[in-house]
Amino acid sequence: MQKLEQVYEGKAKKVFQTDDPELYIVDYKDDATAFNGLKKGTIVGKGVINNQMTNRLMAKMEKAGIPTHFVKELSQRETLVKKVSIVPLEVIIRNISAGSFAKRYGVEEGIVFDAPTIEFSYKNDDLGDPLLNTYHALALKLATREEVETIEKYAFAVNEVLKAFWAECGVTLVDFKLEFGKLSDGTIVLADEISPDTCRLWDSKTHEKLDKDRFRRDLGGVEDAYAEIMNRLLSHDAD
Ligand code: ADP
Ligand code: UDP
């Protein structure tokens, strides 16, 4: 599969056309950003880890009946995916309070919820990804009611599969962000990535952070944390 014209360069990945109009190639970079691009840096080896981790986790989702954009890993940093029209919603699931939730509602991090929460933000960098609810998403015609319902169902299903897998690895899944897209026939599929850039992952015993918060909060040991979480995945992932 040939990489043709670049269609997009984002903060963490580049997206290329291919000779198949229904397929894109995603190329993962080591660039790291936080706070809507205000903080910039490099996490050496991150692109390779995020590519390989995303693909293994996407394969688990497919196995669990959740359709995804994943087609084939092409190299350490490159993956062939189904081209989608991204639904401009960042879908955030939380099992434990952290980050913007803790800040917004004035609570400490680490409160374990009785049931997971879901929230949406409008994927729009110029506006700083503002929080919105289903009524707002429908008013803005970002998705239909049926699409929002499908997205919610898939997002909670992803949470169950991910939580169980990370628990086997001695890792607590605190929260994460998903993106969904539409294939040319309108089918909703899970797209983008599932990685330490987009999930909060804590060691189950020590609560040590094994994710991008080490970069956001200048905690040090960023590369080591990414390597550690990848090793945990590899040693518990059968295939
Ligand atoms: P950002 O746009 O937030 O800076 P990235 O650097 O990760 O993010 O860029 C990758 C872009 O590709 C994102 O905007 C994401 O929504 C988009 N994307 C992910 N998967 C697909 C896909 N299968 N088809 C089309 N676009 C995709
Ligand atoms: N997240 C993400 N991209 C974003 C915003 C959030 O991947 O643009 C992820 C983040 O890594 C965390 C979860 O979504 O796992 C919840 O993030 P939160 O709303 O707490 O925001 P933050 O603290 O990152 O500002």
Side-chain angles (χ1 to χ4, degrees):
M1 190 58 62
Q2 198 68 32
K3 234 178 178 177
L4 300 178
E5 203 172 319
Q6 182 175 305
V7 273
Y8 182 75
E9 175 160 8
K11 297 183 288 289
K13 303 190 283 300
K14 294 178 187 174
V15 181
F16 295 87
Q17 284 178 343
T18 67
D19 43 28
D20 184 332
E22 302 284 343
L23 300 176
Y24 276 164
I25 291 173
V26 181
D27 189 339
Y28 285 72
K29 309 190 284 184
D30 284 352
D31 299 356
T33 62
F35 315 118
N36 201 20
L38 281 178
K39 183 180 170 90
K40 289 193 176 70
T42 302
I43 301 173
V44 177
K46 170 171 89 77
V48 174
I49 289 173
N50 286 3
N51 182 39
Q52 295 174 350
M53 185 176 293
T54 294
N55 294 343
R56 283 169 177 267
L57 295 176
M58 289 280 180
K60 284 191 191 301
M61 298 311 148
E62 292 278 355
K63 235 176 165 175
I66 302 155
T68 80
H69 72 164
F70 177 64
V71 178
K72 186 171 185 265
E73 191 166 292
L74 299 176
S75 74
Q76 285 203 315
R77 289 174 186 273
E78 294 166 311
T79 293
L80 191 64
V81 298
K82 293 176 187 160
K83 171 183 173 175
V84 299
S85 154
I86 291 286
V87 177
L89 293 174
E90 300 208 333
V91 181
I92 294 172
I93 297 275
R94 302 177 190 272
N95 296 305
I96 295 177
S97 64
S100 69
F101 181 99
K103 203 169 165 198
R104 190 184 317 128
Y105 301 120
V107 296
E108 79 255 37
E109 295 198 315
I111 302 166
V112 180
F113 302 148
D114 290 342
T117 67
I118 190 164
E119 74 211 37
F120 299 124
S121 50
Y122 180 19
K123 190 172 153 58
N124 183 319
D125 281 342
D126 293 340
L127 298 176
D129 298 338
L131 196 65
L132 48 65
N133 66 27
T134 303
Y135 294 95
H136 300 144
L138 295 179
L140 292 168
K141 296 199 165 32
L142 305 182
T144 66
R145 182 174 297 281
E146 292 69 33
E147 287 165 355
V148 171
E149 282 168 6
T150 302
I151 286 171
E152 286 185 342
K153 182 182 76 179
Y154 287 160
F156 282 121
V158 168
N159 186 43
E160 294 309 314
V161 179
L162 270 188
K163 216 170 33 176
F165 174 67
W166 283 123
E168 285 172 31
C169 304
V171 172
T172 301
L173 177 64
V174 174
D175 59 28
F176 57 96
K177 181 267 301 179
L178 299 174
E179 292 183 25
F180 291 86
K182 278 193 283 182
L183 300 177
S184 54
D185 68 359
T187 308
I188 295 278
V189 300
L190 178 61
D192 205 52
E193 66 179 276
I194 311 174
S195 73
D197 273 17
T198 61
C199 303
R200 285 196 169 92
L201 301 162
W202 295 353
D203 180 275
S204 304
K205 285 212 187 85
T206 65
H207 294 178
E208 189 193 357
K209 297 183 198 316
L210 299 170
D211 57 58
K212 196 167 138 187
D213 269 349
R214 302 205 75 84
F215 169 79
R216 293 190 188 98
R217 301 177 186 191
D218 294 319
L219 299 177
V222 186
E223 276 91 357
D224 288 349
Y226 276 67
E228 169 68 19
I229 199 80
M230 187 66 193
N231 283 338
R232 299 260 189 119
L233 178 147
L234 291 175
S235 57
H236 290 84
D237 197 18
D239 50 24

